[in-house]
Amino acid sequence: MRYFAALLVACCLTITLQAQQLDVEKVVEMVRSSIALQQDDKKVAEYLKKVKLTQRLTGKNVEDLIAQGAGPRTAAALRALSKESANLPAPGSDPTYSPATAPQPAIGTGTASIGPKKTFPPPDSVKQSAILDQIRQYAENYTQNLPNFLCTRVDRRYVDPNYTPSTGAHWHIINTLTAKVSYSDGHENTQTVLVNNQPIVGNFDPQKVGGGTVSTGEFGSMMAEIFDAKSQAQFNWDHWGNLDDRLMAVYNYFIDSGHSSYSIDYNGEQKIITAYRGLVYADPDTGVVYRIKFQAVDIPSSFPVQDANEILDYDQVDINSNKYICPLRAQLFLRSGRQRTKNDIEFRLYRKFGTESSITYQTPEALPDNREKPLTSPPPTTEGPDVPLPPGSAPPPPPNH
């Protein structure tokens, strides 16, 4: 998955490595940035030796930064700072918190909150492992089992130039891009054909039209890379979910920056590979994935984009009278300073590959959005090999792979 950020307002912060008095949060930001930017371990350690802390750096803070990728010389310098600052006041919050080092609940224990005042116990550890194995097997085979097809992709791109948490988002549409997507022998090709429902004339680069954001990789690579053994993803049970009135087993995951393949490219000028975390929603009987949530974490403070997250939904589509589970929609959010961008992405009009001559492209109406609902009745017993659906829920269609 790649994000190409072409934001309307560009800002570029840099880290100045000048010896000075710093609080713990500033030291943590500097070390995390050095990890993400792969700066020389020796030089980072030399800088840290000149720092005078104004707050206490705890042993936990040091171990967190080591777990997040600090080199051996940096680690030694951090331990020295921790010892020197032992009598200083502690920061008001934990500055080194990260999903990479946050405690995880033991598999098979505890409960999950789903909806108001509703808690349901997870399956036992054996069933959790069995469901996760099914999901992993499905993900590993997903792209090779897709047919060759065409579909229409619609990106509705929005911006909020003055977002604040207190006021919420006020979205203004930038443009609507309509593209032809061809998927053949595992390769995806996207060609934009309409802008604001008008045909394109001449060369066109969506990264250079009106600002906004461009993303790639929704067809399989996001799912494949999460479950690729090279990613060394950490999975844990999260909760029972309800998606389109179907019972979902939801797992959380985390992939550190050293094993990540996800990149954010800012205007072709700066690029980082970032750690990320999220949720996977899957059918507990078949392992079929219906939703993936993604959030970039530990982005260096010097990088222009501070937040990046996406929700990708799959559902059953008809291609040449056969049923397949394919991407249905996605929502992508990025933030740079007070400016936020949003892409509402839809994949529509799936059809057999090779039917280009019979297609007239138009921008379809937006899909309704209310897939996820509270789970109001408890899941059935999880003993035995299968997890049946709760009363009143519709069974998911079997994938035709």
Side-chain angles (χ1 to χ4, degrees):
M1 171 65 66
R2 297 180 181 177
Y3 297 136
F4 301 96
L7 302 174
L8 298 178
V9 179
C11 64
C12 181
L13 306 176
T14 58
I15 300 172
T16 50
L17 299 182
Q18 298 176 347
Q20 54 186 315
Q21 285 194 332
L22 298 176
D23 61 24
V24 171
E25 183 176 357
K26 292 297 184 183
V27 169
V28 170
E29 285 184 5
M30 188 279 293
V31 173
R32 283 177 167 171
S33 295
S34 73
I35 295 168
L37 298 173
Q38 299 181 343
Q39 293 178 344
D40 183 78
D41 182 34
K42 181 179 178 181
K43 291 182 179 179
V44 176
E46 289 174 351
Y47 165 71
L48 288 172
K49 290 176 183 178
K50 300 176 183 178
V51 166
K52 297 297 182 182
L53 284 173
T54 60
Q55 297 171 314
R56 182 166 69 247
L57 181 71
T58 67
K60 175 189 177 298
N61 297 152
V62 175
E63 295 307 312
D64 283 353
L65 289 171
I66 293 171
Q68 292 162 28
R73 295 184 179 182
T74 299
L78 288 168
R79 290 191 180 99
L81 282 174
S82 177
K83 185 176 180 180
E84 293 171 6
S85 64
N87 295 323
L88 295 176
S93 60
D94 184 358
T96 53
Y97 171 81
S98 168
T101 53
Q104 296 288 343
I107 292 178
T109 63
T111 60
S113 296
I114 308 171
K117 300 181 181 179
K118 291 286 184 179
T119 58
F120 302 109
D124 61 39
S125 59
V126 174
K127 187 61 184 178
Q128 287 180 34
S129 296
I131 296 172
L132 184 58
D133 286 344
Q134 285 191 104
I135 300 171
R136 183 177 285 110
Q137 183 177 4
Y138 172 82
E140 290 173 350
N141 295 316
Y142 178 73
T143 54
Q144 62 186 345
N145 289 328
L146 284 177
N148 295 339
F149 62 81
L150 298 171
C151 74
T152 298
R153 170 174 173 152
V154 180
D155 285 57
R156 294 178 173 88
R157 306 200 295 180
Y158 300 83
V159 65
D160 180 355
N162 294 299
Y163 170 80
T164 62
S166 60
T167 61
H170 298 279
W171 297 113
H172 306 280
I173 192 162
I174 304 170
N175 50 42
T176 300
L177 308 182
T178 305
K180 177 185 75 175
V181 178
S182 58
Y183 191 89
S184 178
D185 298 327
H187 299 287
E188 174 190 347
N189 181 62
T190 301
Q191 177 186 353
T192 305
V193 294
L194 302 175
V195 177
N196 297 330
N197 215 24
Q198 298 298 315
I200 291 173
V201 178
N203 295 329
F204 176 78
D205 184 349
Q207 297 181 53
K208 299 178 180 178
V209 175
T213 305
V214 177
S215 69
T216 63
E218 283 83 7
F219 281 94
S221 65
M222 176 185 279
M223 186 193 305
E225 290 176 10
I226 290 171
F227 287 92
D228 191 325
K230 295 179 181 178
S231 298
Q232 296 189 21
Q234 305 167 22
F235 289 97
N236 287 283
W237 174 265
D238 203 85
H239 65 274
W240 290 113
N242 177 4
L243 205 62
D244 292 335
D245 294 323
R246 299 170 183 160
L247 180 65
M248 293 286 134
V250 185
Y251 290 78
N252 61 59
Y253 66 89
F254 175 81
I255 297 174
D256 63 46
S257 58
H259 298 93
S260 171
S261 298
Y262 286 81
S263 63
I264 306 174
D265 186 316
Y266 184 78
N267 285 342
E269 300 168 358
Q270 299 184 56
K271 179 179 178 180
I272 61 168
I273 294 177
T274 175
Y276 60 100
R277 64 182 176 185
L279 299 172
V280 175
Y281 292 63
D283 179 85
D285 292 324
T286 64
V288 174
V289 174
Y290 284 93
R291 169 170 283 184
I292 295 174
K293 290 187 176 183
F294 163 99
Q295 180 183 1
V297 296
D298 296 341
I299 297 176
S301 61
S302 59
F303 194 70
V305 176
Q306 286 84 49
D307 294 312
N309 58 82
E310 184 169 6
I311 301 173
L312 175 60
D313 282 329
Y314 300 81
D315 209 345
Q316 180 179 258
V317 301
D318 186 290
I319 303 176
N320 198 29
S321 300
N322 291 310
K323 307 297 183 183
Y324 297 91
I325 302 298
C326 290
L328 176 70
R329 68 189 313 159
Q331 281 195 315
L332 169 63
F333 300 87
L334 268 71
R335 181 178 65 85
S336 178
R338 292 184 63 182
Q339 178 171 283
R340 296 183 76 201
T341 63
K342 177 180 74 164
N343 284 23
D344 284 340
I345 307 167
E346 298 175 1
F347 302 94
R348 309 281 290 276
L349 305 175
Y350 281 86
R351 60 257 187 205
K352 182 181 178 182
F353 188 83
T355 59
E356 295 94 332
S357 60
S358 62
I359 300 300
T360 300
Y361 285 93
Q362 294 181 335
T363 302
E365 294 294 324
L367 290 168
D369 182 19
N370 191 22
R371 299 194 75 199
E372 190 167 7
K373 305 173 184 177
L375 190 63
T376 55
S377 58
T381 176
T382 60
E383 297 178 358
D386 297 319
V387 181
L389 293 168
S393 63
N400 188 357
H401 292 332

